[in-house]
Amino acid sequence: MQAPFCRDCFTGTLRGDITPVGTEQTVHNVPSYVSLPPEGARSLGTVVIITDALGWKLRNTRVLADAYARRVPCTVVVPDFHKGTSLTEKFLILADALSTANIFTKIWTYVRVVPELVRFLLYNRYAVAAPRVNAFFHSLRQELGPSGKIGVAGFCWGGLYTIRLTHMSPPLVNCAFTAHPSLISVPADIDKVKDDTPLSIANGDDDQYLRRAKMETVVKMLQDRERHEVVVYEGAKHGFAVRGDIGDPKQKERGQGSEDQAVGWFRRWMA
């Protein structure tokens, strides 16, 4: 059985070089970070980010939301689908330090992080979280009407929900993007992707969740379907699209590549 998370889910670089410019609001009864397009720009619609386990308050995710809002341009909403149980930045910092810690520090770190992880897994298992996510998109679709354009971007934990939104008929979203999705079933979840919801996937060539053989299967299943795409980033680690080290030229290039991929996808299918 596959573990619910890998080490790379909790490691990476916290963005301290950019200050988020959006605001915290309540959107359809869910606390959310909202980033608006530049003044005077014609918004193509609304993009909803379904985050990784580190949740809606992670600075990295908010900076990415600002980039989408500016570049697409569009309104970007990052809801708290974890209902206040997201893993904190403290968890990320502690987990990142484990590789160089001594045995006593490792034990103390596990004592501190395991209860938080167990709480997250309990409150955000699929049977509990999926109704929250689906209800939000139903409300958003009702608000915007059939002509409103809705995109979704999911990362790690959020990737599963993003891909399963592409299974729905009639569709709730106009297009979907996911980077390093976790916990998806291959080939089942890919086989159910419908052509009326274009899907773009960004992943490493040997990701902790989509190992090389699974990734090759995903590519084969979608490569001949004109409304979908898969981009494989050689050597990219799980989490590269959100928490890659911008001080490392290769990681920065992969992270920027996935951002460009998402922006291009939303521009194409929300126009």
Side-chain angles (χ1 to χ4, degrees), residues 28-252:
H28 295 298
N29 299 315
V30 180
S32 304
Y33 176 80
V34 179
S35 189
L36 300 176
E39 186 176 353
R42 184 180 71 86
S43 176
L44 296 185
T46 300
V47 169
V48 179
I49 291 181
I50 309 180
T51 71
D52 58 22
L54 291 151
W56 73 298
K57 290 192 173 183
L58 183 70
R59 178 186 290 257
N60 300 41
T61 302
R62 294 187 170 194
V63 167
L64 188 60
D66 293 342
Y68 288 174
R70 181 180 68 254
R71 296 184 63 199
V72 173
C74 62
T75 295
V76 182
V77 182
V78 188
D80 178 18
F81 286 131
H82 302 152
K83 295 191 73 173
T85 64
S86 302
L87 303 180
T88 62
E89 290 187 1
K90 172 199 73 177
F91 195 103
L92 177 64
I93 295 168
L94 289 172
D96 206 27
L98 282 175
S99 60
T100 57
N102 60 44
I103 184 64
F104 300 105
T105 301
K106 286 183 178 179
I107 292 173
W108 175 237
T109 299
Y110 282 123
V111 168
R112 295 175 67 185
V113 302
V114 167
E116 188 174 333
L117 176 59
V118 170
R119 183 185 69 157
F120 177 86
L121 294 174
L122 178 64
Y123 284 97
N124 298 287
R125 61 194 187 277
Y126 186 81
V128 175
R132 296 179 206 149
V133 174
N134 293 340
F136 184 92
F137 281 93
H138 276 288
S139 295
L140 185 62
R141 174 52 71 197
Q142 186 174 24
E143 173 196 351
L144 298 181
S147 62
K149 298 297 179 69
I150 301 174
V152 57
F155 302 91
C156 190
W157 180 88
L160 172 63
Y161 300 87
T162 297
I163 289 176
R164 291 192 177 173
L165 279 168
T166 71
H167 299 173
M168 295 188 175
S169 184
L172 287 177
V173 300
N174 296 88
C175 57
F177 166 82
T178 181
H180 38 82
S182 63
L183 303 178
I184 67 171
S185 297
V186 177
D189 277 321
I190 303 302
D191 187 55
K192 294 175 183 177
V193 173
K194 297 187 180 302
D195 285 337
D196 53 3
T197 308
L199 171 66
S200 178
I201 299 175
N203 208 66
D205 56 346
D206 195 18
D207 183 90
Q208 288 281 352
Y209 279 105
L210 291 177
R211 288 293 191 188
R212 198 174 302 277
K214 283 188 175 182
M215 199 58 211
E216 290 174 355
T217 298
V218 172
V219 170
K220 289 178 182 177
M221 293 180 71
L222 294 180
Q223 64 184 358
D224 295 327
R225 298 174 64 180
E226 295 181 0
R227 295 168 66 86
H228 308 300
E229 70 173 10
V230 182
V231 180
V232 179
Y233 293 82
E234 184 178 354
K237 293 182 178 180
H238 188 78
F240 75 95
V242 179
R243 300 186 307 278
D245 182 2
I246 61 171
D248 180 327
K250 289 186 177 179
Q251 289 194 53
K252 182 178 180 180

